Amino acid sequence: AMSQLTACAFLIGLVIFTCGAAADSDGGAQLIGVKSIANNLIVKGMDVTVQYDIYNVGDKAAMNVQLEEDGFPIDYFAVRSGFQHVRWTRLPPGANVSHTLILTPLQTFVFNASHAVMRYKVSDEATGSTVGYTTSPGEIAVIETADYDRQFSAHAMDWLTFGMMTTPSIIIPFLLWYASVRKYSNLASHSSRKNN
Amino acid sequence: RRTHSRFLQITVQFQHKLARVLFFSFITSVSHFCRLFCDQESQASRMRVFAVSVLLLALLAFHAVLAQESAAGGASPEDQLEEEGNVESEGAERAEKVPTGSAADSGAGEPGMASDTPSAEQQDEMTKLQLGPSDKVQLSHLFLYPAGAGQVGRSLDLPTGKTIRVAMHMRNKGDSTFHVDLATAAFRYPMDMSYVIQNFSTVRYHGQDVEPGREASFVYQFNTDPQLAARSFGLTVQLGYRDAEGKNYLHSAINQTVSLFEPDEGFDGETFFMYIFLIVLAALACAGIWYLLKTYTPAKKLAAKSRHAVKSSKAAALSADSADGSAPNNNNGGLSPGGNYNLEWIPQQHLDIKNRRAKTAQSPRQRKSPTKQASSDASD
């Protein structure tokens, strides 16, 4: 019985050990940062929405999560809303957080959107911070406002001009017709009055 | 190379058959010549027959030997190409020839495309070139779309016809910087992961640096074809990187069996319009039935009966010669005797049967004038 017990204990210990060893993450937090640009078109003077999603795929809560975005130079982009340095106290395992940054490009250029930097502690008792990089959206091209408007604006002024220019070729025949109709209907009413 | 092997196979088979045919013909001709020889009367004719038969048999034997030889000679190249002949029948056997897990092999992996099957020496070289993971790097992954796929307790099910997004996380546990170049993915045969069914596009990351002790995330997306029937595949998503010395690595972030399913769309235009069509058909059928009932209801039968009654009364009216042509019984409520149309709008002169010139019907051309006609009638 004793040998059976020890064998059992050994087996259980082995199982626990293998389970622990199979865990890829070494038992700490692992943060995946996804940085994406939500716009289809990036136009000078119009808002660009940059979305950051941070997922914790590890086993433990990530402590003191900081997101630092220094990839948008101040003379190329103006920050409309959101922060470029964000901090979360704690990100539990399996959870995710989102952050949005809204910028306005000030010039027309081709821009290489690089990664943002995340710093966090893999667990409560970890000594140093782990540095991670988010994904990079890649090259983005900022286009001129005129190009965007040519495709997407309402062209109200253009339609107004068009209306004004086409009005003569519609109004003049109408007036001629109306004058003629009035003349003949007047004649008809006169003659009918005469007959009556 | 494939066509060459086919040709060789065919010629070898032909030569085998030819050899067989020639051998049998040799045997029969020997017996035939023997008989011929024995049938000869004179010595001279016997000599002639013997000479001719020996010549012909020698020719036959020579050809048979040649055919046999070439058949045997063709066997050795045939051995090397034997695997190509087998590809058509057993596609999975190809695995033994191709090195496992090698993404450097850009084979398209269709059965029958045996031109990529290497010889033994080439296979050794490819094994040396085979890219594997680095043990200084730890990878993990997360499915962004569909969210939560493949997590603990849930099988990895991917929808067809959608863009699948995966985020890969790389941790550098070594001492030198790694430069991440690319990510690629493939659908493979689940029983044999070296057999690629579909390769997905390679995404370049332009050598993103991951310093020692640091981590980085990479997003990879691919489209599943909507025509892929719901079945299981082996999915591999691999990250390609190189270390500071320039050595290339190919590390699988995902290497597991996935099952594809067809997502239900919610609003299916086809089904919606099919229902509309069926409703319209049903309405049409109802309308048809209502129309038939209306036309062939008892009211119709009554009308037929009244038509009979009116006919007899009409005959009576003609013979009776009454001044008042519209007897109360004949009126039928302003409708025709059959009840089909309204008589009230027809001027009376057309309805008065009495005034009909049935007996003296003649062509209007012969009519001189209404007054003259009446006088002529009166005179008649």
Side-chain angles (χ1 to χ4, degrees):
Chain A
M2 217 34 216
S3 60
Q4 262 186 357
L5 205 63
T6 48
C8 264
F10 177 71
L11 275 172
I12 290 168
L14 198 68
V15 161
I16 292 171
F17 174 73
T18 49
C19 282
D24 237 11
S25 57
D26 302 333
Q30 271 190 350
L31 294 191
I32 293 181
V34 179
K35 170 178 165 180
S36 58
I37 295 185
N39 289 39
N40 286 331
L41 281 179
I42 298 151
V43 188
K44 170 182 155 192
M46 295 182 62
D47 293 343
V48 180
T49 308
V50 186
Q51 180 159 353
Y52 303 89
D53 300 300
I54 302 177
Y55 305 85
N56 186 352
V57 294
D59 294 330
K60 295 218 180 111
M63 309 299 292
N64 199 22
V65 182
Q66 296 166 37
L67 176 71
E68 290 156 20
E69 172 60 79
D70 295 318
F72 295 109
I74 198 73
D75 42 354
Y76 288 99
F77 291 93
V79 177
R80 282 276 312 275
S81 156
F83 299 105
Q84 286 174 305
H85 291 244
V86 198
R87 192 173 150 270
W88 291 273
T89 320
R90 191 171 173 274
L91 187 56
N96 60 328
V97 284
S98 266
H99 175 65
T100 318
L101 184 65
I102 303 183
L103 310 158
T104 309
L106 301 175
Q107 298 175 35
T108 314
F109 51 91
V110 174
F111 178 72
N112 186 17
S114 178
H115 52 79
V117 177
M118 296 182 297
R119 286 174 214 280
Y120 63 100
K121 290 168 72 169
V122 292
S123 59
D124 243 338
E125 46 280 348
T127 47
S129 287
T130 313
V131 176
Y133 300 138
T134 63
T135 62
S136 337
E139 268 192 6
I140 56 175
V142 183
I143 61 177
E144 282 280 355
T145 320
D147 292 335
Y148 176 80
D149 280 344
R150 192 178 306 134
Q151 264 183 300
F152 296 101
S153 78
H155 298 285
M157 282 308 295
D158 297 332
W159 282 113
L160 200 64
T161 316
F162 171 75
M164 280 164 52
M165 287 169 70
T166 55
T167 303
S169 39
I170 297 172
I171 292 292
I172 291 170
F174 173 74
L175 289 173
L176 290 170
W177 171 82
Y178 184 68
S180 149
V181 156
R182 219 170 46 163
K183 184 171 92 173
Y184 282 102
S185 60
N186 282 346
L187 275 175
S189 58
H190 276 307
S191 60
S192 60
R193 258 187 255 135
K194 262 196 225 161
N195 286 347
N196 294 352
Chain B
R1 217 186 134 175
R2 180 168 174 259
T3 50
H4 175 71
S5 74
R6 257 331 257 164
F7 174 70
L8 210 64
Q9 261 186 319
I10 291 164
T11 46
V12 154
Q13 287 165 7
F14 174 71
Q15 274 153 356
H16 273 301
K17 286 190 195 133
L18 183 67
R20 227 181 297 145
V21 160
L22 285 173
F23 181 68
F24 281 121
S25 59
F26 179 81
I27 300 291
T28 50
S29 50
V30 159
S31 55
H32 183 73
F33 282 131
C34 281
R35 231 174 60 108
L36 199 65
F37 186 75
C38 296
D39 282 342
Q40 296 302 315
E41 291 92 14
S42 68
Q43 184 73 7
S45 54
R46 240 178 275 155
M47 284 304 290
R48 245 180 281 137
V49 166
F50 178 74
V52 167
S53 58
V54 160
L55 210 65
L56 286 175
L57 287 172
L59 215 62
L60 211 62
F62 177 67
H63 276 292
V65 163
L66 253 185
Q68 194 64 33
E69 210 168 288
S70 61
S76 44
E78 198 198 10
D79 277 335
Q80 282 177 23
L81 302 165
E82 198 188 40
E83 55 201 37
E84 295 175 67
N86 279 343
V87 158
E88 271 115 293
S89 46
E90 296 151 42
E93 223 183 338
R94 205 169 165 275
E96 292 157 24
K97 315 289 182 195
V98 176
T100 55
S102 131
D105 168 33
S106 63
E110 252 190 295
M113 279 190 62
S115 55
D116 292 332
T117 312
S119 64
E121 308 85 48
Q122 286 175 329
Q123 282 174 32
D124 282 339
E125 276 184 45
M126 281 174 77
T127 320
K128 286 179 215 154
L129 282 173
Q130 186 176 335
L131 301 180
S134 165
D135 51 0
K136 303 281 192 308
V137 166
Q138 181 188 313
L139 289 189
S140 59
H141 70 276
L142 176 76
F143 276 89
L144 299 177
Y145 182 86
Q151 283 185 358
V152 179
R154 285 170 64 170
S155 60
L156 185 52
D157 298 325
L158 299 181
T160 58
K162 300 274 188 203
T163 304
I164 312 293
R165 292 184 72 214
V166 191
M168 290 178 284
H169 179 265
M170 170 187 178
R171 183 177 268 169
N172 185 353
K173 299 197 289 198
D175 299 322
S176 60
T177 305
F178 282 99
H179 310 277
V180 179
D181 287 323
L182 54 90
T184 184
F187 272 152
R188 295 161 189 263
Y189 189 55
M191 312 304 165
D192 171 22
M193 288 302 236
S194 67
Y195 188 97
V196 174
I197 295 172
Q198 180 181 6
N199 269 317
F200 293 107
S201 304
T202 304
V203 168
R204 307 258 162 204
Y205 297 120
H206 308 290
Q208 158 128 10
D209 297 343
V210 184
E211 290 84 10
R214 295 204 170 180
E215 309 173 341
S217 308
F218 302 96
V219 158
Y220 181 78
Q221 64 183 42
F222 59 95
N223 296 313
T224 47
D225 194 298
Q227 289 173 0
L228 277 177
R231 52 177 286 195
S232 60
F233 291 97
L235 172 68
T236 54
V237 179
Q238 293 164 320
L239 201 63
Y241 51 86
R242 62 195 141 86
D243 62 9
E245 287 107 36
K247 183 174 173 204
N248 285 301
Y249 298 93
L250 198 65
H251 195 152
S252 281
I254 301 173
N255 189 1
Q256 60 184 104
T257 308
V258 308
S259 63
L260 297 189
F261 65 92
E262 213 177 287
D264 55 343
E265 285 297 297
F267 174 71
D268 183 17
E270 210 176 310
T271 323
F272 175 67
F273 283 110
M274 187 190 78
Y275 281 126
I276 288 182
F277 176 69
L278 290 174
I279 289 166
V280 165
L281 265 185
L284 211 64
C286 289
I289 291 167
W290 175 77
Y291 176 75
L292 284 173
L293 286 173
K294 201 167 89 87
T295 354
Y296 295 108
T297 45
K300 181 89 176 183
K301 290 180 199 152
L302 267 173
K305 271 197 215 151
S306 62
R307 220 186 301 143
H308 269 290
V310 165
K311 266 197 190 146
S312 50
S313 67
K314 262 197 223 169
L318 271 171
S319 53
D321 198 22
S322 61
D324 176 18
S326 56
N329 290 336
N330 274 358
N331 207 6
N332 199 24
L335 293 174
S336 71
N340 288 336
Y341 51 90
N342 191 0
L343 290 173
E344 284 169 346
W345 63 277
I346 301 176
Q348 201 55 36
Q349 74 241 33
H350 299 296
L351 292 175
D352 259 346
I353 303 159
K354 195 172 177 301
N355 285 342
R356 224 174 31 178
R357 291 197 287 269
K359 289 193 181 143
T360 60
Q362 53 176 242
S363 163
R365 288 173 198 273
Q366 292 163 357
R367 244 189 295 158
K368 294 176 184 88
S369 74
T371 47
K372 269 197 177 172
Q373 191 62 30
S375 59
S376 62
D377 273 350
S379 63
D380 287 350

